[in-house]
Amino acid sequence: MSSTTPTPQASLTERRKAETRMEIARAAAGLFVRHGLRATRAEDIAQAAGIAPRTFYRYFATKEEAVAPLYAAGAQRWVEAVRAAPAAVSVAQALEEGVRHTLTPGVGVSASSWEWVRTLLRLAAANPSLRRVWAEVCQDSERMLGEVLAQRVTRAGTATGSAATAGDDNVASAFQQRLTERESRLADPQPGLAEPEPSLAEPEPSLAEPEPSLAEPERRLADFEPRFASPEPRIASPEPRFADAESRFAAAVASAAVRTALEGWAEGDGPAEGPGSPADLALRNLAALRDFPFGP
């Protein structure tokens, strides 16, 4: 489609595709947990999901990729929770609340599903193909989180730059007024000069082309407009580049804090809730980063 805005029909189609992908992912996860990764074939996953093998391969290239939607669902939930945090909340607080929303049993993932999560993470640690799928999901989540953090920095910077924008607008207004007055003088010359005598109809070159300051106000206005009439570039550069780099780094640090908490929990036999749980371990890691300059 040429439009970037999906039609209702396309949106419905995408939702159905997403639902099918998740159904296949649940079927694959169930077989992996019960029978192990090696003993499970793509055909087994297709049968468990109630689809034909060729349909399975329209959605996933390998059996390992089939669980990617489950890996991604939790990561997406965390990012969206951070995005939804009020602007007045600090980044560190938004990250912590996002962890509570995502990793607390019964809130983000049902309590009964956490043992599945543990098994899938253990399988990812033991199998290179599945580990690659997990790593790609983590990388995508980190990128999305970086975008969310960059948006928070931009919103915070908007208020800071508003005073400077107003000042530049005043300068631009004054400059525009001066140019308008100058153009008015040129448009209504003195009567004694409006009708030159025949002897003056062909003036000397020095008189035929008045100085640029009077002859070409439009060009001079165009020359000055980038400096005075469009203050946005002055505010946006170069700070957004630095803010974006900082946001990406902050997202990498926060994502690693949560990812290592999950992986560490999966390696042991800790509970799904309470001390030693994924949420507890992730919050401890984030607490150690409270002095990190996440941003506003």
Side-chain angles (χ1 to χ4, degrees), residues 102-122:
T102 306
L103 302 184
T104 299
V107 178
V109 179
S110 64
S112 60
S113 297
W114 273 103
E115 286 308 312
W116 281 36
V117 173
R118 192 197 306 270
T119 301
L120 290 174
L121 291 175
R122 286 178 175 177

Side-chain angles (χ1 to χ4, degrees), residues 1 18-19 21 36 46 49 101 109 119 122 135 150 172-174 182-183 209 216-217 222 248 258 265 276 286 288:
M1 296 179 60
E19 291 171 359
R21 285 175 58 86
H101 174 76
V109 179
T119 301
R122 286 178 175 177
S173 178
R182 181 174 296 175
E183 291 172 355
E209 297 180 7
E216 299 179 301
R248 290 198 301 269
V258 176
W265 170 80
L286 289 175

Side-chain angles (χ1 to χ4, degrees), residues 22 58 76 78 84 106 174 203-204 212 242 245 251 258-259 266 273 295:
M22 187 58 72
R58 281 205 296 266
Q76 179 70 26
W78 181 44
E204 296 179 2
F242 291 109
V258 176
R259 175 180 54 79
E273 191 170 9

Side-chain angles (χ1 to χ4, degrees), residues 160-241:
T160 303
S162 60
T165 302
D168 283 341
D169 285 344
N170 291 336
V171 172
S173 178
F175 186 76
Q176 181 67 46
Q177 182 178 357
R178 288 166 52 196
L179 287 176
T180 301
E181 292 172 354
R182 181 174 296 175
E183 291 172 355
S184 178
R185 289 198 301 271
L186 291 173
D188 298 311
Q190 296 179 10
L193 299 178
E195 298 290 341
E197 296 179 0
S199 60
L200 298 178
E202 299 291 335
E204 296 179 2
S206 60
L207 298 177
E209 297 180 7
E211 295 180 359
S213 61
L214 297 178
E216 299 179 301
E218 294 83 1
R219 181 180 62 79
R220 293 177 60 81
L221 174 59
D223 291 342
F224 278 92
E225 279 180 347
R227 295 176 53 196
F228 294 94
S230 300
E232 292 81 3
R234 296 179 58 196
I235 297 172
S237 178
E239 290 79 4
R241 290 197 295 271

Side-chain angles (χ1 to χ4, degrees), residues 15-286:
R15 286 199 300 270
R16 286 176 175 171
K17 287 182 177 179
E19 291 171 359
T20 301
R21 285 175 58 86
M22 187 58 72
E23 289 173 2
I24 297 172
R26 293 192 183 99
L31 292 174
F32 291 169
V33 170
R34 290 192 298 271
H35 306 299
L37 182 63
R38 181 174 299 181
T40 301
R41 303 173 303 161
E43 291 77 8
D44 299 327
I45 299 172
Q47 183 178 8
I51 59 175
R54 65 177 179 275
T55 303
F56 173 90
Y57 286 112
R58 281 205 296 266
Y59 286 91
F60 303 103
T62 67
K63 64 180 182 181
E64 291 85 359
E65 290 180 10
V67 293
L70 285 177
Y71 285 147
Q76 179 70 26
R77 191 177 295 111
W78 181 44
V79 172
E80 291 305 320
V82 175
R83 189 196 305 275
V89 173
S90 70
V91 171
Q93 291 173 320
L95 292 170
E96 292 176 1
E97 287 303 315
V99 162
R100 293 187 181 94
H101 174 76
T102 306
L103 302 184
T104 299
V107 178
V109 179
S110 64
S112 60
S113 297
W114 273 103
E115 286 308 312
W116 281 36
V117 173
R118 192 197 306 270
T119 301
L120 290 174
L121 291 175
R122 286 178 175 177
L123 288 172
N127 183 275
S129 297
L130 197 55
R131 184 162 61 247
R132 183 170 61 251
V133 174
W134 168 243
E136 289 175 355
V137 168
C138 291
Q139 187 176 25
D140 289 343
S141 171
E142 179 184 312
R143 175 186 53 78
M144 291 188 294
L145 181 61
E147 293 172 358
V148 170
L149 297 185
Q151 291 169 5
R152 292 182 66 91
V153 171
T154 300
R155 288 198 300 268
T158 300
T160 303
S162 60
T165 302
D168 283 341
D169 285 344
N170 291 336
V171 172
S173 178
F175 186 76
Q176 181 67 46
Q177 182 178 357
R178 288 166 52 196
L179 287 176
T180 301
E181 292 172 354
R182 181 174 296 175
E183 291 172 355
S184 178
R185 289 198 301 271
L186 291 173
D188 298 311
Q190 296 179 10
L193 299 178
E195 298 290 341
E197 296 179 0
S199 60
L200 298 178
E202 299 291 335
E204 296 179 2
S206 60
L207 298 177
E209 297 180 7
E211 295 180 359
S213 61
L214 297 178
E216 299 179 301
E218 294 83 1
R219 181 180 62 79
R220 293 177 60 81
L221 174 59
D223 291 342
F224 278 92
E225 279 180 347
R227 295 176 53 196
F228 294 94
S230 300
E232 292 81 3
R234 296 179 58 196
I235 297 172
S237 178
E239 290 79 4
R241 290 197 295 271
F242 291 109
D244 187 57
E246 291 171 356
S247 297
R248 290 198 301 269
F249 182 54
V253 172
S255 297
V258 176
R259 175 180 54 79
T260 55
L262 282 168
E263 293 173 346
W265 170 80
E267 290 176 359
D269 297 315
E273 191 170 9
S277 66
D280 178 60
L281 296 176
L283 289 173
R284 283 193 221 169
N285 288 351
L286 289 175

